[in-house]
Amino acid sequence: MRAYDYVIVGAGSAGCVLASRLTEDPEISVLLLEAGGWDWNPLIHIPLGVGKLVRSSLHSWGYWTEPEPHLDGRKLYWPRGKVVGGSSSINSMIYIRGHARDYDTWAQLGNRGWSWDDVLPYFRRSEGHLERPADDLHGTGGPLKVERGHGDNPLYDVFFAAGKQAGHPWNDDFNGPEQEGVGRYDFTIRDGRRASAAACYLRPAMKRPNLTVETRALTHRVIVEGGRATGVEYYREGTLQRVAAEREVLLSGGALNSPQVLMLSGIGDPAELAAHGIPVTHALPGVGRDLQDHLDIPLQFACPKPVTLHSLVRLDRAALAMAQAALFRSGPAASFPAEGGLFVRTRPELEMPDMQWHFLIGLGAKRLRIPLLWHLNKDRMDQDGFTIRMCHLRPESRGRLTLRSADPADRVRIFANYYSTENDRRSFRDGLRMARELVAQPAFEGWRGAELNPGRDVVSDGDIDAYVRRIAETIYHPVGTCRMGTDDGAVVDPELKVRGVEGLRVIDASIMPRLIGGNTNAPTMMIAEKAADMIRGRAALGREPGRAAA
């Protein structure tokens, strides 16, 4: 067999970071395996292309949940990146780290070395902010390029003004000393181009002779011999191939694929493995459990002024906007149209925000209009309007995933179990009412038309619950299925080593013991940054004296 020091499974947000950091040492050889292809598609690199990417299976695994019992039995679509860069190549590019207490909670759960003071230096090392000065919280020299949203649509200023009128503090930096308040998001965008993990980490490392990348490589299993991971078996170019890992195998397939690979390798709940005829290599019942995700609902209004994205939802205009972004890195397609944000506590007794809002200058039309034929099949979303999407940050609901079969090409079965607790339902009820209160502020006079979703008649707790059950969707942040911890239900220890198996780690969002309060892409890269130092035996980065609180 060919042999490398490290074999990384998955060239997503974490895998690209690991490949880059590990190969900084010329004595280390790395093989990076990716089931998808290269990120050649121009839609990946033009920020507005995300609208097409998340709805198609072109660069996504195209998962669906099982029927959700608390969401009217609906199956929810889960796009997860199947391309170099992983979900960082198809996501909405919002750069959020989460709340400091999220990481302090990780540490209090027994994960020493994962408090806010421990992880902040890795966020700073990763970050290459193009506008904020380097300080105790921000970095400017890191690979991951970050810039503020610059959209000049007047609706953003209306939203900001209404937020302040509703009593929310202005927040100039959601990754600053405080998270709560209304403000403008930062994005992983640079000069009108997506700053994915592939663009920022992997491509600069590709010139190194000690890095090998193989795409269209579907991992079948980790080879475990005598209680140690010794290699990987994968399918590529029509053949089943085996490669040796002389030091470690690193799983970075994400919250769905990493637990799947573990189970296919015989590492998991013995009863689950037996159901599919997979011999038990190591009993680890927590694999696939503790699934957590952010659920999201929209509040949508018509807008009487033609200033929204509705004008672009036409084939000819959309093509011109994409061409402008591709050729000149400018225009409406060179940014993402959800620059307004708000972190809010739906109850005053809460210690930190429990909801995150995204303000979009459009209604999220699902099809392009064709000139002269646009009136055919027209629905009420074919008009100017705006949307507040409300995401519940810390759900109590927990789900799980299982294998569908022992075939590595089969999708896992996802039981998200959304909206299953009264506290989760209460947060959505209170959050929707607070969002309506914001839109009712004087700043929206003249900009606010009819309420399209859920509609003025949806008022009672029961009505709001019914609306959530009918319309809620994932906002694409699954975590927890290879949970980090020191208890019997944990899958990896605080060094991200699979418990009971030598030479095997999981390094991606699946290790998060609790969901963080925000978008999960930047935290996933932080995890990989920190893990790279662990793997190389380097001392953990320390925080700098005098840093601000967060």
Side-chain angles (χ1 to χ4, degrees):
M1 288 190 292
R2 290 175 296 138
Y4 298 83
D5 290 315
Y6 297 95
V7 179
I8 304 171
V9 177
S13 298
C16 288
V17 174
L18 287 173
S20 174
R21 292 304 189 189
L22 293 179
T23 56
E24 290 174 343
D25 182 348
E27 301 302 315
I28 290 176
S29 62
V30 171
L31 172 64
L32 177 62
L33 300 175
E34 168 56 40
W38 283 100
D39 57 342
W40 302 123
N41 191 329
L43 288 175
I44 290 175
H45 302 286
I46 296 173
L48 197 59
V50 64
K52 176 67 174 176
L53 293 170
V54 299
R55 294 192 191 111
S56 74
S57 58
L58 189 61
H59 299 293
S60 169
W61 288 92
Y63 289 105
W64 289 85
T65 70
E66 297 300 304
E68 284 294 317
H70 307 287
L71 296 181
D72 290 348
R74 292 186 295 124
K75 294 184 177 183
L76 275 60
Y77 177 61
W78 278 26
R80 309 305 303 156
K82 187 181 181 182
V83 62
V84 169
S87 293
S88 79
S89 289
I90 67 170
N91 69 2
S92 298
M93 299 157 287
I94 294 175
Y95 180 80
I96 291 289
R97 298 172 175 177
H99 199 283
R101 292 189 185 180
D102 291 326
Y103 303 98
D104 289 340
T105 298
W106 290 11
Q108 289 166 6
L109 290 171
N111 298 296
R112 186 174 181 179
W114 291 92
S115 71
W116 175 245
D117 281 349
D118 295 317
V119 303
L120 175 59
Y122 290 98
F123 277 118
R124 293 183 70 252
R125 185 169 81 175
S126 172
E127 184 182 19
H129 209 294
L130 301 171
E131 295 165 77
R132 300 188 191 279
D135 58 21
D136 294 334
L137 289 175
H138 289 287
T140 58
L144 183 63
K145 302 310 174 187
V146 180
E147 65 181 32
R148 298 200 71 188
H150 294 291
D152 59 358
N153 189 288
L155 276 172
Y156 289 133
D157 290 332
V158 171
F159 174 74
F160 300 145
K164 289 184 280 189
Q165 289 170 350
H168 303 289
W170 173 253
N171 192 334
D172 190 55
D173 182 6
F174 292 131
N175 299 299
E178 297 291 339
Q179 187 184 58
E180 190 170 2
V182 62
R184 194 180 290 264
Y185 283 121
D186 285 350
F187 291 85
T188 50
I189 295 175
R190 181 181 185 180
D191 297 331
R193 291 287 186 272
R194 173 190 293 274
S196 67
C200 295
Y201 279 93
L202 185 60
R203 290 197 181 278
M206 288 293 295
K207 62 181 181 292
R208 299 171 187 159
N210 56 336
L211 173 60
T212 302
V213 181
E214 294 187 8
T215 59
R216 311 292 181 188
L218 179 65
T219 296
H220 281 208
R221 67 184 181 99
V222 177
I223 302 167
V224 180
E225 299 172 322
R228 180 177 184 83
T230 60
V232 172
E233 185 176 272
Y234 64 100
Y235 188 82
R236 185 172 186 262
E237 296 180 343
T239 62
L240 192 63
Q241 304 185 31
R242 292 162 65 95
V243 64
E246 297 189 335
R247 298 193 188 185
E248 293 186 60
V249 174
L250 310 175
L251 296 184
S252 296
L256 303 186
N257 295 94
S258 285
Q260 180 186 27
V261 171
L262 286 177
M263 288 187 280
L264 291 171
S265 307
I267 302 170
D269 185 339
E272 165 71 9
L273 302 178
H276 302 287
I278 300 173
V280 176
T281 302
H282 177 64
L284 204 56
V287 174
R289 306 292 172 171
D290 293 303
L291 175 61
Q292 305 158 52
D293 187 30
H294 285 148
L295 197 64
D296 173 87
I297 64 169
L299 173 65
Q300 296 179 298
F301 284 82
C303 180
K305 298 184 181 182
V307 296
T308 74
L309 284 184
H310 179 62
S311 62
L312 282 183
V313 187
R314 207 176 85 170
L315 189 60
D316 54 340
R317 293 173 181 169
L320 285 173
M322 297 297 280
Q324 181 182 0
L327 296 173
F328 305 109
R329 299 173 179 253
S330 63
S335 62
F336 187 70
E339 296 188 6
L342 191 148
F343 285 85
V344 62
R345 290 176 296 146
T346 60
R347 302 192 298 278
E349 65 269 22
L350 297 177
E351 294 184 350
M352 51 187 170
D354 64 324
M355 287 209 113
Q356 177 184 4
W357 298 355
H358 304 80
F359 181 72
L360 289 81
I361 53 171
L363 296 174
K366 292 182 172 55
R367 64 183 179 87
L368 290 173
R369 292 174 287 128
I370 300 174
L372 304 180
L373 299 176
W374 70 272
H375 58 285
L376 299 178
N377 298 319
K378 181 182 178 182
D379 61 33
R380 62 180 184 153
M381 295 297 155
D382 283 324
Q383 61 176 304
D384 279 285
F386 57 85
T387 302
I388 298 176
R389 298 207 68 96
M390 291 160 282
C391 164
H392 183 210
L393 292 175
R394 294 178 183 83
E396 293 179 343
S397 300
R398 295 291 184 271
R400 63 188 175 91
L401 60 84
T402 67
L403 294 176
R404 192 173 301 276
S405 76
D407 183 350
D410 265 359
R411 305 290 191 260
V412 292
R413 300 183 68 193
I414 303 166
F415 302 86
N417 196 35
Y418 291 118
Y419 214 52
S420 60
T421 75
E422 175 59 24
N423 188 61
D424 290 359
R425 292 188 285 272
R426 179 180 177 183
S427 292
F428 274 111
R429 295 171 198 147
D430 295 344
L432 179 61
R433 290 174 177 132
M434 293 181 75
R436 280 173 162 166
E437 180 182 348
L438 185 147
V439 180
Q441 296 302 313
F444 268 106
E445 291 297 332
W447 304 89
R448 176 185 59 241
E451 182 178 318
L452 302 176
N453 264 325
R456 293 177 58 188
D457 294 337
V458 176
V459 176
S460 69
D461 286 357
D463 290 341
I464 294 174
D465 286 348
Y467 174 66
V468 176
R469 290 195 301 268
R470 175 174 63 84
I471 204 167
E473 296 288 346
T474 175
I475 203 166
Y476 324 130
H477 300 156
V479 308
T481 50
C482 296
R483 177 174 61 82
M484 172 174 61
T486 56
D487 59 287
D488 290 341
V491 176
V492 300
D493 67 17
E495 291 189 331
L496 309 189
K497 296 177 179 178
V498 174
R499 297 171 64 244
V501 182
E502 295 294 321
L504 179 61
R505 301 192 206 219
V506 180
I507 303 167
D508 54 35
S510 71
I511 67 94
M512 294 186 188
R514 294 287 188 275
L515 257 173
I516 59 96
N519 307 70
T520 52
N521 191 55
T524 298
M525 294 193 203
M526 174 278 293
I527 290 167
E529 284 272 12
K530 184 171 172 60
D533 275 0
M534 292 176 175
I535 294 166
R536 296 173 67 180
R538 301 172 69 177
L541 294 178
R543 71 174 179 87
E544 297 180 7
R547 63 97 176 164

